[in-house]
Amino acid sequence: MAANVSDHLLQRLSDWGVRRIYGYPGDGINAIVGALDRAGDRLKFIQARHEELAALMACAHAKFTGEVGVCLATSGPGAIHLLNGLYDAKLDHQPVLAIVGQQARAALGGSYQQEVDLLSLFKDVAHEYVHMATTPEQIRHLVDRAMRIALVQRTVTCLIVPNDVQELDAVEQPPHKHGTIHSGLGVSLPHIVPREQDLRRAADVLNAGQKVAMLVGAGALGAADEVLEVADRLGAGVAKALLGKAVLPDDLPFVTGAIGLLGTRPSWNMMQGCDTLLMVGSSFPYSEFLPAEGQARGVQIDIDGRMLSIRYPMEVNLIGDSGPALRALLPHLTRKEDRSWRETIEADVADWWTVLDARAMNEANPINPQRVFSELSPKLPHDAILVADSGSAANWYARDIRIRRGMMASLSGTLATMGPGVPYAIAAKFCHPARLAVAMVGDGAMQMNGINALITIAKYWREWEDPRLVVLVLNNGDLNQVTWEQRALQGDPKFDASQDLPDFPYARYAESLGLLGVRVDRPDQIADAWDRVLAADRPAVLEAVTDPDVPPLPPHISFEQAKAFASSVLKGDANALGFLKQTVKDAAQSYLPGRKGQK
């Protein structure tokens, strides 16, 4: 059988090093699905339960490998379903290629069934490159450009292939004549280093500072050694944006942890007290958690010049890769002999861990969610891959999980969409099948996407070298993060009609799929439960029945937040007594950190 366009498309992807495609079939891509069958071991098709999950898996693939994640969907509704996962990739600057079907060329413009203007649909999410194939001669250069642009620009690209084009005979080498394109494979990505004079300007600012704060993000992943050396030279503390949680381990005494609403008190204090700010590989959006304008001099390093000086008015803006740029900067930095600023930060960090440990042990009804995370943290192997979903689970992941060197970690950072936790963990297992993956998910996200994604785990887990994939579900019956936002930001009481979730037997459902299911509803069960799921011979769901009234306290409560919080109580929040009691307990730990837990 002669190769058709679909065979050629897949062969070209294989030539680019693609080994896995996440997707869901449909008649708009029947020919491509048939070619996947013929491709054999060259390309593995991972069947998601929904196209959104496939796109989220492709995004996670990119995050955990640095490669282009590839997802596949049929025309019309399947293509539309991809969008949320693709926006997750776009906003977190991840290279992802979406391949979608389309109705036959002769039908386009005729209001045909499932005909959607896909070029317009994808024009924003894949704004760097979205094209539709109309002839076999295009396939080679469309794949080449889509892959290369995704890698170079760290963005989403999209190829649309009408179903009749998929079936045409392949043209692997276009004719050598006017109007044809002859493209090639591969790209070598450079290490970008700022100019020497700009490095010296940056060093002058940093050397002049007496109280230097650093903020690192996902762009600094892989540059741990350079970040450590610069921080040591400058006597700086280092805060981490949530996507940069794995940049540095949390056992370093000068690492202040997360920043922002989900952040730590040491990060807040450091930003309020610094006179110099060095941002590396981060586009952390919440400027109210950075120094006030005019308080500090600033230097920023980012590979994307468009992201410079938009969160804080920096004095020196450097375009460069984090590791090479910091290495080039180091010879210009003078070691600060006065370590009093660093010592202040380290004392604050040590006290904060004591506070968190004490808060985790506070009694709750029935389980304090902080304790579930706190007891997991020391049990994690050094090479664990951690993912958190959006919601209150992200708060406890940000604060109570102490990342160690060698771990990988991610979540939906900029889009902060609900539902990526389990599909991210699935992709992590395909990319690193010998490593443990742990997804930390709220019951809202679990009901939205995670339940279906468990079916995918049940389908594939026997293929993984290490079968362990643990899904922690916080079962509190509440869309908890939004409930707290209603109270603290809007001053409204909990609106039961929107916030209460139907009960669901997460652990028993896992067992029905042949997975391990463990349910805990008492704090003394937590440690043994973690031991069971972490030692299991198959994937597991740990369902923890947790108290929705435990507050995700921000590191600093503004007057407006306190006023709104009080307003929600006065308006008759049905949970007021419970959450006021828990708030008092957690707030007390900031002043009485030695106490083991409040009853």
Side-chain angles (χ1 to χ4, degrees), residues 26-32 73-75 100-103 114 161-163 166:
D27 61 1
I29 51 172
N30 274 345
I32 297 176
T74 189
S75 55
V100 297
Q102 178 58 292
Q103 298 306 307
Q114 294 190 341
V161 189
N163 55 33
Q166 297 170 28

Side-chain angles (χ1 to χ4, degrees), residues 87-240:
Y87 272 104
D88 185 38
K90 176 188 176 181
L91 270 60
D92 281 352
H93 308 287
Q94 297 302 315
V96 168
L97 167 60
I99 301 171
V100 297
Q102 178 58 292
Q103 298 306 307
R105 291 168 295 174
L108 296 179
S111 295
Y112 202 74
Q113 184 186 32
Q114 294 190 341
E115 181 188 349
V116 172
D117 183 357
L118 296 179
L119 284 167
S120 296
L121 181 74
F122 288 100
K123 194 61 180 177
D124 179 54
V125 72
H127 71 280
E128 294 285 354
Y129 197 77
V130 51
H131 280 279
M132 183 172 71
T134 55
T135 69
E137 289 83 359
Q138 290 177 280
I139 295 300
R140 187 171 113 183
H141 76 257
L142 289 180
V143 172
D144 291 348
R145 293 211 71 207
M147 289 292 292
R148 188 174 289 112
I149 290 170
L151 280 168
V152 172
Q153 298 295 327
R154 299 192 59 80
T155 193
V156 174
T157 57
C158 178
L159 296 183
I160 303 163
V161 189
N163 55 33
D164 60 324
V165 174
Q166 297 170 28
E167 299 172 346
L168 297 175
D169 290 340
V171 176
E172 297 189 14
Q173 182 173 314
H176 189 65
K177 65 178 186 179
H178 183 71
T180 61
I181 302 292
H182 299 260
S183 61
L185 295 165
V187 61
S188 295
L189 299 176
H191 282 157
I192 299 175
V193 179
R195 298 180 303 175
E196 192 72 12
Q197 59 265 43
D198 295 322
L199 291 168
R200 285 196 294 268
R201 288 197 302 120
D204 288 344
V205 172
L206 297 170
N207 288 333
Q210 300 300 310
K211 300 178 179 180
V212 182
M214 293 181 66
L215 172 59
V216 299
L221 290 169
D225 291 339
E226 292 84 358
V227 171
L228 285 173
E229 195 167 350
V230 168
D232 179 68
R233 193 79 57 90
L234 296 174
V238 184
K240 300 184 292 185

Side-chain angles (χ1 to χ4, degrees), residues 481-505:
Q481 186 78 1
V482 175
T483 294
W484 283 104
E485 288 170 346
Q486 288 174 341
R487 291 168 177 153
L489 300 180
Q490 303 302 127
D492 288 330
K494 176 185 173 181
F495 179 42
D496 292 344
S498 73
Q499 300 309 107
D500 284 348
L501 288 168
D503 193 25
F504 187 88

Side-chain angles (χ1 to χ4, degrees), residues 199-510:
L199 291 168
R200 285 196 294 268
R201 288 197 302 120
D204 288 344
V205 172
L206 297 170
N207 288 333
Q210 300 300 310
K211 300 178 179 180
V212 182
M214 293 181 66
L215 172 59
V216 299
L221 290 169
D225 291 339
E226 292 84 358
V227 171
L228 285 173
E229 195 167 350
V230 168
D232 179 68
R233 193 79 57 90
L234 296 174
V238 184
K240 300 184 292 185
L242 209 48
L243 282 172
K245 184 172 176 66
V247 172
L248 291 181
D250 287 309
D251 55 11
L252 294 172
F254 54 88
V255 171
T256 63
I259 187 173
L261 283 169
L262 283 62
T264 71
R265 189 188 64 201
S267 291
W268 169 265
N269 289 342
M270 180 174 69
M271 290 298 167
Q272 297 309 299
C274 71
D275 62 17
T276 309
L277 174 63
L278 172 58
M279 283 180 63
V280 183
S282 174
S283 59
F284 173 74
Y286 302 119
S287 59
E288 67 269 28
F289 291 93
L290 298 176
E293 185 169 344
Q295 171 192 320
R297 302 177 72 183
V299 174
Q300 186 174 359
I301 300 171
D302 203 288
I303 192 62
D304 187 349
R306 296 171 297 183
M307 303 306 294
L308 292 169
S309 207
I310 62 172
R311 310 303 187 203
Y312 188 84
M314 298 293 180
E315 192 170 332
V316 181
N317 294 284
L318 303 176
I319 298 176
D321 289 284
S322 296
L326 290 174
R327 281 198 300 274
L329 178 63
L330 271 164
H332 303 286
L333 298 178
T334 302
R335 178 178 173 81
K336 297 190 186 301
E337 298 304 326
D338 181 355
R339 312 305 276 187
S340 57
W341 169 245
R342 169 71 78 88
E343 290 165 1
T344 299
I345 291 169
E346 292 183 356
D348 201 10
V349 169
D351 181 64
W352 177 247
W353 284 118
T354 303
V355 168
L356 287 183
D357 290 341
R359 285 182 179 178
M361 297 306 292
N362 280 335
E363 290 189 358
N365 182 26
I367 288 176
N368 185 338
Q370 296 167 106
R371 182 166 176 175
V372 180
F373 288 75
S374 180
E375 295 207 23
L376 166 63
S377 193
K379 296 177 183 290
L380 289 167
H382 72 279
D383 61 348
I385 303 175
L386 310 177
V387 294
D389 218 300
S390 299
S392 61
N395 286 278
W396 316 129
Y397 156 79
R399 294 180 186 171
D400 292 288
I401 295 293
R402 304 191 192 195
I403 208 85
R404 300 197 300 279
R405 194 153 193 175
M407 293 180 178
M408 302 176 77
S410 195
L411 77 176
S412 176
T414 311
L415 187 61
T417 183
M418 283 180 68
V422 183
Y424 266 35
I426 293 170
K429 288 299 293 186
F430 279 113
C431 297
H432 303 282
R435 299 173 68 167
L436 167 71
V438 180
M440 292 155 268
V441 184
D443 46 4
M446 200 66 189
Q447 292 185 16
M448 181 178 286
N449 277 348
I451 291 170
N452 283 342
L454 288 180
I455 303 172
T456 302
I457 295 174
K459 176 180 173 68
Y460 288 108
W461 70 266
R462 292 172 180 84
E463 299 179 12
W464 300 329
E465 181 180 343
D466 181 336
R468 295 176 303 162
L469 187 165
V470 179
V471 179
L472 166 65
V473 184
L474 300 181
N475 182 357
N476 56 28
D478 179 44
L479 292 172
N480 199 233
Q481 186 78 1
V482 175
T483 294
W484 283 104
E485 288 170 346
Q486 288 174 341
R487 291 168 177 153
L489 300 180
Q490 303 302 127
D492 288 330
K494 176 185 173 181
F495 179 42
D496 292 344
S498 73
Q499 300 309 107
D500 284 348
L501 288 168
D503 193 25
F504 187 88
Y506 303 99
R508 282 189 289 139
Y509 177 70

